[in-house]
Amino acid sequence: MPTPPRTHSSALPGMRALTPAERASAVAKAAGLHPDTLAPLHSAGALPHAVADGMIENVLGTFELPLGVATNFTVNGRDYLVPMAVEEPSVVAAASYMAKLARPHGGFQVSTTAPIMRAQIQVLGLTDPHGARARLLAHRAEIIETANSKDTVLVGLGGGCKDIEVHLFPDTPIGPMLVLHLLVDVRDAMGANAVNTMAEMLAPRIEAITGGTVRLRILSNLADRRVVTASLRLPVAALDTEALQGADVAQGIVEACTLALIDPYRAATHNKGIMNGIDPVVLATGNDWRAIEAGAHAYAARNGRYTALTAWELAGDGHLVGTLEMPMAVGIVGGATRTHPGAQAALQLMGITSAEELGHVIAAVGLAQNMAALRALATEGIQRGHMRLHARNIAITAGATGADIARVADAIVAAGDITVARARSLLGG
């Protein structure tokens, strides 16, 4: 994929007042792209049935979600306009507003570890499990060399199997079990196909070395060696509202996060809010949002207790500091990222040139979304802002079209009666 021009600025004021076609034009101009480049993101039928039919089985058609663009994001010093495919109101607006608050203060700083994925090879029927483990470790170099022998392209790019681990479970309901992990640098791929292929190919050799029987050979979605860390730092004054001092808002954010850190019931909702930001970008870029979800929640429970994926602190110099740490197994080659025209357009809109860079942007959006939720909880409450945007859906359900959508939505919000019945009465129905 050719490298597109860098985004000029992710700050696009007045987007709400534009039509979808006008927004598409403004976004293309800001990204330095020809308008036709973004057509798969805003044109009806951008995923042809012939392409969809080749992606999955028993295709009947396609299913569309609203696709918006989050603005104001600065990540590692670079501006991004971020496509988000999501049905829930307030998500795009909330992420964009938090990015706007962070923007004057350096935006988001993000780093990641190497793109290491795991393949697991399960071995059963062992009479000497400890001895089998020792034999596998003794054959480490051979196993790595064999794993890499079938993927010379990946190895040529600097990737490939880098190491092994051997995990022993001496007492299970089905007897002693050994699990060999292949640690594979998958470069710009998500990596499932690469690691699964290596595991399948190695199975006979693993049986020969151990004297056991190989059963499962498949990747793990707990990508705990492929972790992204995002952070932001802003003065508490940036959180000032008409009714509250920023210091009080910041304290409320820290207090709300603390409950998620200690209570799994709150942590589940807290982390769901993070994924409200992450999943839409993963989906828009053709990546596997289910794998990201599985990895995130497993990582949140890695120490034996489910907890928050973010931490919010008040630094001694009067700044609010937020951090997010989680696995981020995304790719820009292979799978739907290559076959879906919309996914390709989404990557071009952001100017993404590596899986690492994509992971950085996704993590920044997740941290922004978390901040938005905690800020709402610390101020007006999350339901008020959410329902203000949900009112448009209610108006549409009641039959409003065109200019009537905004008129009816504003009226039912003002009346505090955000119901279909109230909307219909305002339409004369």
Side-chain angles (χ1 to χ4, degrees):
M1 181 179 64
T3 302
R6 292 297 188 183
T7 301
H8 299 148
S9 174
S10 64
L12 296 180
M15 287 279 279
R16 185 175 181 180
L18 303 179
T19 66
E22 290 170 338
R23 291 188 192 112
S25 177
V27 166
K29 182 178 180 181
L33 297 171
H34 190 282
D36 290 348
T37 304
L38 300 186
L41 296 181
H42 64 84
S43 300
L47 177 61
H49 282 191
V51 175
D53 194 38
M55 293 174 69
I56 65 167
E57 307 77 32
N58 300 339
V59 167
L60 302 179
T62 58
F63 182 86
E64 293 185 325
L65 286 172
L67 188 137
V69 174
T71 59
N72 302 313
F73 274 89
T74 300
V75 182
N76 292 342
R78 187 198 156 186
D79 275 20
Y80 293 90
L81 292 164
V82 187
M84 301 178 71
V86 64
E87 86 295 344
E88 184 171 336
S90 79
V91 168
V92 178
S96 298
Y97 186 60
M98 294 304 102
K100 184 178 181 180
L101 292 183
R103 184 182 179 83
H105 309 288
F108 300 85
Q109 302 300 314
V110 191
S111 62
T112 190
T113 58
I116 301 293
M117 297 294 288
R118 294 176 184 267
Q120 294 184 289
I121 302 176
Q122 177 197 34
V123 187
L124 304 176
L126 297 166
T127 57
D128 61 337
H130 291 277
R133 179 178 184 274
R135 290 192 296 276
L136 285 174
L137 292 173
H139 284 80
R140 173 182 174 275
E142 176 201 337
I143 292 169
I144 293 172
E145 181 180 1
T146 305
N148 287 331
S149 65
K150 298 298 184 181
D151 201 335
T152 56
V153 173
L154 182 61
V155 173
L157 294 171
C161 185
K162 300 298 184 182
D163 205 352
I164 67 169
E165 295 176 353
V166 186
H167 299 263
L168 186 60
F169 302 92
D171 185 17
T172 82
I174 54 174
M177 183 187 303
L178 181 151
V179 183
L180 172 69
H181 286 198
L182 305 177
L183 303 180
V184 184
D185 184 328
V186 297
R187 299 285 85 193
D188 283 326
M190 183 272 181
N193 290 335
V195 301
N196 286 343
T197 299
M198 288 182 181
E200 289 282 357
M201 183 260 293
L202 277 168
R205 182 57 182 148
I206 300 307
E207 289 185 334
I209 293 171
T210 62
T213 300
V214 168
R215 293 299 188 201
L216 298 186
R217 48 267 201 197
I218 191 169
L219 89 160
S220 170
N221 286 125
L222 177 52
D224 59 355
R225 297 286 293 268
R226 193 178 185 177
V227 173
V228 66
T229 303
S231 66
L232 67 82
R233 178 185 179 87
L234 69 164
V236 295
L239 297 168
D240 285 350
T241 71
E242 292 183 1
L244 294 170
Q245 294 291 315
D248 295 327
V249 177
Q251 182 64 35
I253 289 173
V254 172
E255 291 170 354
C257 183
T258 299
L259 178 58
L261 289 168
I262 64 173
D263 178 16
Y265 291 95
R266 172 58 199 153
T269 310
H270 178 100
N271 290 342
K272 188 268 183 183
I274 295 169
M275 304 313 290
N276 274 352
I278 286 173
D279 287 347
V281 190
V282 174
L283 186 59
T285 56
N287 275 280
D288 188 347
W289 60 269
R290 298 161 303 276
I292 299 298
E293 284 274 354
H297 297 298
Y299 194 75
R302 66 192 183 282
N303 293 322
R305 180 178 59 85
Y306 189 83
T307 187
L309 290 166
T310 59
W312 291 89
E313 305 164 294
L314 286 171
D317 60 359
H319 284 70
L320 176 68
V321 179
T323 56
L324 164 66
E325 182 179 288
M326 62 176 285
M328 188 57 66
V330 293
I332 64 169
V333 297
T337 58
R338 278 298 188 193
T339 57
H340 197 303
Q344 284 292 292
L347 293 173
Q348 287 184 283
L349 170 59
M350 290 186 283
I352 296 295
T353 59
S354 70
E356 178 183 59
E357 183 183 12
L358 177 58
H360 289 174
V361 174
I362 293 171
V365 178
L367 183 57
Q369 196 68 38
N370 181 236
M371 179 181 172
L374 296 180
R375 177 181 176 275
L377 289 169
T379 55
E380 65 180 7
I382 201 152
Q383 191 70 354
R384 180 180 172 187
H386 180 80
M387 291 304 291
R388 188 182 298 117
L389 290 167
H390 181 59
R392 294 177 63 86
N393 285 340
I394 295 296
I396 293 169
T397 301
T401 59
D404 280 340
I405 296 174
R407 178 182 66 82
V408 171
D410 290 343
I412 61 179
V413 168
D417 185 9
I418 306 176
T419 63
V420 173
R422 177 64 170 172
R424 284 178 176 157
S425 70
L426 293 168
L427 288 169

